[in-house]
Amino acid sequence: MDRLRTQRIRESVIEKALLLCALASILTTIGIVLVLIFETFSFFEEVPILEFLTGTTWAPMYQPQHFGVLPLINGTLMIAVGAAVIAIPLGIASAVYLSEYSSPKVRQTVKPVLEILAGIPTVVYGYFAISFITPLIRVFVPDANIFNAASASIVVGIMILPMISSLSEDAMRSVPRALREGAYALGSTRFEVSTKIVLPAALSGILASFVLAISRAVGETMAVTLAAGATPKMTLNFFESIQTMTAYIVQVSLGDTPLGSIEYKTIFAVGMVLFAMTLLMNIISMWIKERYREVYS
Amino acid sequence: MTAAIQTKNLSAWYGNKQALKNVSMDLEENRITAIIGPSGCGKSTYIRCLNRMNDLIDGFRTQGEILIFNKDVRSIDPVELRKSVGMVFQKPNPFPKSIFENIAFGPRIHGLNNNGLDAIVEESLKKAALWDEVSERLNDNAMELSGGQQQRLCIARALAVKPKIILFDEPCSALDPISTSKIEDLMLELKKEYTQVIVTHNMQQAARVSDNTGFFLYGELIEYGGTRQIFKKPREKSTEDYIIGRFG
Amino acid sequence: MRRIKGKVFEYLCLAATVAALLLLALLLLDAWIKGAGWLSLRFLDSFPSRFPEQAGIKSALWGSVWLMLLTAIISIPLGVGAAVYLEEYADRTWLTKIIEINISNLAGVPSIVYGILGLALFVRGLMLGRSLLAGALTMALLILPIIIISSQEAIRAVPSSIREASYALGATKWQTVKYHVLPAALPGILTGNILALSRAMGEAAPLIMIGALTFIAFTPSSPLDPFTALPIQIFNWASRPKEEFQYLAAAAILVLLALLLAMNAAAIIIRNKYQKYIKW
């Protein structure tokens, strides 16, 4: 009987330890939120929240200082939109090809290769942008800046392409066979089945992949730091140098900013905006996917 | 004859779905009791209550009493309970380890040190009529055995923890006729020492091996009695219909 | 007409797929052309330098190796433990639901935000400074969601008949997990963990945040030493205007990609070997 008691104690100790492991992830989230909120509040003690959210000049490093975050958001959105313009058509077309046209053998070779593309470190994409894409752009647009939004958009687009392609392909392949067969039985061509049956049926899964991929582009750091420049400005010209939120955070961290200084606090305020944006997108993506799952279960 | 297992007014639910309704039956010691009935009738649920395997399922609950040798199963730690009530499953499920390790696992977790293990492994395999086939390759992976051998290994594994009762949940449904008859012979052999309960959808099997038979339908125990009587002269119309194959 | 439209569509889709593959080839080719000539044993065994022809990645390489080891030591027990809890112990309560939603959300948080957390919590809060340990803790949190999710999948793939067999013999939950579930899930867990670590291997942003230095002329000898890592070294060289440094960056990229390729190959080999070994 004594053996049974020690065994029971051991079991419950182990269970509690494992629960602690699972709670570590909750603690991480709490840590992120607390750290961001704490320093952001102390930032807003010095800079009015309205100026931060509506100001159109971002110049915390120079006198006179300006703390309008809009130029950074502008830069971030330019990259996200530019990347989406490249990745969405390519991603969805390759997803259609892999799901509806290719032989299983081709799919089994191409998908892992796309996964390799997704596994390449972002700093490598950054290098690729400045060493290959930017010179190429400057051949066609000679007065493009050395650092420009277009180059960064292109590599970020390449970076998120596998994500869109692979998630959309999953969504399309989970469209029930019966739907396709029904359409073929009515004499539809493969093209009609793909565009009129499969794409609409998989739409929410595809949309979820877009949102997720764009969220990834918003949070992308190394490629935009290397290729897009460090000049926060309100522009829509892709051939100019800009700055994203992430690139700004890196820029500050590379210098030696004293703890408690206003520059140090800007990291957290900008980080907060970034975190809120990506979180919102992830939630939207999950929500879309959740709705979609209800349809086919 | 004493009852090894007594069930009194046992009802069971998976969430809101009732799987057993007021089942009362006493199972005799050192006898083989067969539980028959169409699929979904609650026969598997019933025997999985006897070793509290259903406790592992979320939302499962029971009402009523089960006594194993006059002790309420709910008062026994499931670990102790399952030590004395062994189980053999529908599909052979050896651990993906060596034959030796499969048998040795049970005795080991119940506190036996390595010294007695060789003897227990040999004894259990002999009882399960598998020793002659595997004695030369105890260190081979159990997954390499044939289906019938795997199932006998699972029986040997159950015997190794020295249970008093063994539950068989459709033990032959995944096996060929020759392997099946080996398992049935084995069950008859084991009768001397163990109380056995077998759930089966194969009525010939129930007739061949069991002493008593209970017929379940829609979660209720319709009829229970000597196997000979149940198959020759069932009292209930539905039992007769099931046995002569009118449904099921 | 319908048929022509269909063919055009098919070729467009094919072209998009080929384009994605070509881009990958182009990227590798670009790094190879520029960097291959700079690869040498001396490059692997020299510290960074102002003079490109003397510069190497010794400190970055060792920093990355150290960082991966420490990150693995911290994140694997934590992540596998969490996965075991969620799959084997937790009831489907609100708590487990929150934990799981939280994990999938964490997986989508940008890596630089983990860097901000690491900066405030480990570098300043725990006063670990710009040390390997601070970097490893940050990286561990970053890859924790990936480790948990992939370990959960591996554990879920273990058939429940194995658990039933173990419980039916009177094994406790932990005995079942320790002797049967974890050994059977181990190859899958290893594969997932290696892939997660390879993600950490290529991350630069969080390390820049916590202040991993870009110029270090020694190899770390304790977890509290300052350090640099391969992606940081690549970033540093790539952001310099002088052309030779671009070539150095390309050479370092080749080394990094080779390491990642080796890790991925190891993961695939483990997975294939396991698939051959057990068929449920």
Side-chain angles (χ1 to χ4, degrees):
Chain A
M1 251 13 213
D2 209 38
R3 227 181 72 84
L4 211 62
R5 241 189 66 200
T6 47
Q7 193 175 55
R8 228 176 274 165
I9 294 170
R10 193 178 56 207
E11 287 287 317
S12 101
V13 168
I14 287 169
E15 172 163 4
K16 300 223 163 71
L18 293 173
L19 172 64
L20 280 184
C21 294
L23 288 178
S25 68
I26 298 265
L27 288 180
T28 309
T29 307
I30 295 176
I32 289 174
V33 172
L34 282 187
V35 161
L36 288 178
I37 287 183
F38 184 70
E39 296 283 354
T40 305
F41 265 103
S42 115
F43 172 77
F44 285 137
E45 277 168 10
E46 294 175 52
V47 177
I49 187 163
L50 203 67
E51 182 193 332
F52 178 68
L53 290 179
T54 59
T56 55
T57 311
W58 181 259
M61 315 280 219
Y62 321 101
Q63 297 299 335
Q65 288 175 311
H66 288 283
F67 298 99
V69 78
L70 285 181
L72 293 181
I73 293 182
N74 180 80
T76 299
L77 290 182
M78 275 174 81
I79 300 295
V81 169
V85 164
I86 288 161
I88 287 179
L90 280 178
I92 196 136
S94 70
V96 169
Y97 183 76
L98 290 177
S99 159
E100 305 300 313
Y101 287 95
S102 78
S103 65
K105 207 170 170 188
V106 169
R107 181 170 51 239
Q108 276 159 23
T109 349
V110 172
K111 262 203 131 176
V113 175
L114 285 178
E115 270 159 31
I116 294 179
L117 205 54
I120 290 178
T122 63
V123 67
V124 175
Y125 281 104
Y127 168 82
F128 186 56
I130 50 178
S131 85
F132 188 82
I133 307 280
T134 302
L136 198 66
I137 287 177
R138 276 153 65 88
V139 171
F140 296 103
V141 187
D143 52 351
N145 291 352
I146 289 209
F147 299 106
N148 60 68
S151 175
S153 294
I154 291 171
V155 288
V156 174
I158 300 173
M159 201 183 305
I160 63 175
L161 192 157
M163 191 175 203
I164 293 180
S165 165
S166 142
L167 291 178
S168 300
E169 201 247 352
D170 291 345
M172 287 182 212
R173 296 233 294 153
S174 67
V175 170
R177 269 183 73 88
L179 266 182
R180 289 191 183 85
E181 283 168 356
Y184 281 126
L186 293 173
S188 307
T189 62
R190 199 178 276 247
F191 168 67
E192 286 158 349
V193 170
S194 307
T195 53
K196 292 188 183 135
I197 306 290
V198 177
L199 277 180
L203 191 63
S204 38
I206 295 170
L207 283 180
S209 82
F210 291 172
V211 179
L212 207 62
I214 292 173
S215 150
R216 172 95 191 274
V218 166
E220 211 304 301
T221 305
M222 298 319 292
V224 291
T225 305
L226 277 168
T231 15
K233 66 174 92 137
M234 301 293 288
T235 175
L236 290 176
N237 184 346
F238 272 86
F239 299 108
E240 279 186 51
S241 166
I242 53 139
Q243 187 167 40
T244 65
M245 294 189 280
T246 49
Y248 170 74
I249 295 173
V250 168
Q251 188 193 5
V252 179
S253 317
L254 284 174
D256 205 12
T257 30
L259 178 67
S261 69
I262 186 79
E263 292 89 341
Y264 177 74
K265 287 173 190 166
T266 56
I267 294 181
F268 296 87
V270 174
M272 184 80 180
V273 176
L274 176 68
F275 177 69
M277 271 173 76
T278 51
L279 183 68
L280 187 70
M281 287 180 168
N282 291 340
I283 290 174
I284 291 175
S285 162
M286 271 205 264
W287 176 75
I288 298 175
K289 223 165 81 186
E290 200 64 31
R291 280 192 46 185
Y292 141 87
R293 214 174 37 200
E294 279 167 14
V295 179
Y296 286 116
S297 64
Chain B
M1 189 61 73
T2 48
I5 303 168
Q6 291 163 280
T7 323
K8 293 175 185 167
N9 293 322
L10 182 70
S11 295
W13 291 265
Y14 296 104
N16 294 325
K17 202 176 162 285
Q18 186 161 14
L20 289 177
K21 292 172 194 160
N22 272 322
V23 173
S24 296
M25 64 194 295
D26 291 351
L27 312 187
E28 289 173 291
E29 194 175 353
N30 289 7
R31 289 280 182 274
I32 298 178
T33 305
I35 313 265
I36 59 170
S39 42
C41 70
K43 53 189 195 298
S44 282
T45 305
Y46 174 71
I47 69 160
R48 290 167 64 99
C49 285
L50 302 181
N51 63 345
R52 291 179 60 183
M53 277 308 269
N54 283 326
D55 287 17
L56 303 169
I57 297 168
D58 279 345
F60 181 82
R61 65 198 169 87
T62 59
Q63 234 174 46
E65 242 183 343
I66 301 170
L67 305 180
I68 301 266
F69 295 109
N70 293 318
K71 268 175 97 180
D72 190 329
V73 292
R74 274 166 305 188
S75 70
I76 314 172
D77 188 285
V79 168
E80 286 294 295
L81 173 68
R82 291 174 195 147
K83 201 179 140 191
S84 56
V85 184
M87 189 169 214
V88 175
F89 297 85
Q90 186 167 2
K91 220 181 124 217
N93 56 354
F95 301 125
K97 299 177 189 236
S98 73
I99 293 168
F100 183 91
E101 285 300 320
N102 263 276
I103 312 280
F105 174 68
R108 220 179 249 148
I109 57 169
H110 293 299
L112 195 88
N113 57 25
N114 282 328
N115 300 335
L117 273 181
D118 287 335
I120 287 197
V121 170
E122 181 172 343
E123 186 195 333
S124 309
L125 284 170
K126 277 183 174 158
K127 274 190 182 171
L130 192 59
W131 176 253
D132 294 339
E133 291 159 62
V134 301
S135 61
E136 299 298 311
R137 46 182 188 134
L138 290 178
N139 291 321
D140 285 6
N141 195 304
M143 306 302 265
E144 289 160 18
L145 296 174
S146 73
Q149 289 174 323
Q150 288 188 6
Q151 195 63 306
R152 275 180 283 147
L153 179 70
C154 292
I155 294 173
R157 185 173 68 183
L159 295 176
V161 296
K162 305 203 185 308
K164 299 197 185 75
I165 298 170
I166 309 172
L167 310 173
F168 294 87
D169 189 356
E170 307 205 11
C172 302
S173 64
L175 302 183
D176 61 86
I178 294 172
S179 307
T180 300
S181 82
K182 277 190 186 158
I183 302 250
E184 289 173 4
D185 292 346
L186 178 58
M187 290 182 72
L188 293 171
E189 189 62 32
L190 293 171
K191 244 169 82 169
K192 284 175 238 155
E193 288 177 67
Y194 304 93
T195 305
Q196 297 170 79
V197 187
I198 176 170
V199 161
T200 178
H201 58 246
N202 176 342
M203 277 166 293
Q204 286 76 27
Q205 182 169 56
R208 280 194 301 262
V209 299
S210 70
D211 302 296
N212 296 312
T213 297
F215 171 61
F216 277 63
L217 187 63
Y218 303 128
E220 283 178 272
L221 176 62
I222 302 294
E223 186 167 356
Y224 177 46
T227 299
R228 204 173 266 272
Q229 176 253 312
I230 294 273
F231 280 89
K232 288 254 166 68
K233 269 187 286 179
R235 280 186 299 269
E236 301 290 330
K237 178 82 171 57
S238 53
T239 314
E240 191 185 341
D241 286 349
Y242 180 68
I243 286 170
I244 63 176
R246 214 167 277 161
F247 72 92
Chain C
M1 187 54 210
R2 265 170 85 196
R3 187 171 292 170
I4 293 173
K5 213 160 82 181
K7 271 285 164 221
V8 169
F9 181 71
E10 178 178 349
Y11 285 127
L12 278 178
C13 291
L14 176 63
T17 312
V18 172
L21 301 181
L22 274 183
L23 282 168
L24 177 66
L26 204 59
L27 196 156
L28 295 178
L29 198 67
D30 181 52
W32 180 259
I33 289 172
K34 287 172 180 149
W38 290 74
L39 278 180
S40 67
L41 275 180
R42 191 207 52 73
F43 178 69
L44 296 179
D45 201 40
S46 306
F47 291 112
S49 159
R50 284 186 293 129
F51 308 105
E53 54 287 346
Q54 291 173 18
I57 54 170
K58 186 175 186 182
S59 48
L61 199 55
W62 283 100
S64 277
V65 170
W66 265 88
L67 190 66
M68 283 308 101
L69 280 179
L70 284 173
T71 305
I73 291 171
I74 298 164
S75 62
I76 291 178
L78 212 53
V80 175
V84 167
Y85 182 80
L86 291 172
E87 287 302 311
E88 301 291 319
Y89 284 82
D91 300 321
R92 298 278 105 196
T93 59
W94 57 271
L95 180 65
T96 35
K97 201 151 187 208
I98 287 183
I99 294 178
E100 291 196 329
I101 291 176
N102 178 59
I103 289 169
S104 59
N105 261 319
L106 274 182
V109 171
S111 60
I112 194 163
V113 173
Y114 284 93
I116 296 178
L117 176 70
L119 172 67
L121 200 62
F122 303 129
V123 177
R124 314 271 196 200
L126 295 181
M127 313 252 270
L128 292 175
R130 307 177 151 195
S131 62
L132 263 172
L133 187 57
L137 283 166
T138 308
M139 284 301 190
L141 293 186
L142 172 73
I143 62 171
L144 197 56
I146 315 176
I147 290 193
I148 295 176
I149 292 170
S150 63
S151 304
Q152 272 183 289
E153 276 165 12
I155 290 171
R156 220 174 291 148
V158 177
S160 58
S161 64
I162 294 296
R163 295 180 183 84
E164 287 196 324
S166 172
Y167 287 127
L169 290 168
T172 62
K173 200 160 246 194
W174 176 242
Q175 285 168 337
T176 302
V177 168
K178 182 176 157 196
Y179 293 112
H180 301 298
V181 178
L182 280 183
L186 192 65
I189 290 176
L190 270 180
T191 303
N193 286 356
I194 293 174
L195 293 179
L197 282 173
S198 79
R199 160 98 197 271
M201 183 89 168
E203 276 290 348
L207 296 182
I208 291 178
M209 289 302 303
I210 64 152
L213 298 176
T214 47
F215 185 84
I216 285 206
F218 57 87
T219 53
S221 57
S222 104
L224 293 174
D225 281 351
F227 71 106
T228 184
L230 268 178
I232 305 256
Q233 189 63 63
I234 293 168
F235 171 70
N236 177 262
W237 279 334
S239 54
R240 293 196 195 186
K242 201 171 170 189
E243 202 168 10
E244 283 87 347
F245 285 113
Q246 297 291 319
Y247 298 149
L248 286 173
I253 282 173
L254 291 177
V255 175
L256 178 62
L257 290 181
L259 286 173
L260 292 178
L261 193 70
M263 288 170 87
N264 278 276
I268 291 168
I269 288 170
I270 290 172
R271 187 162 56 194
N272 290 351
K273 200 172 165 193
Y274 153 78
Q275 275 169 350
K276 257 179 227 151
Y277 176 55
I278 302 174
K279 281 199 191 77
W280 301 110

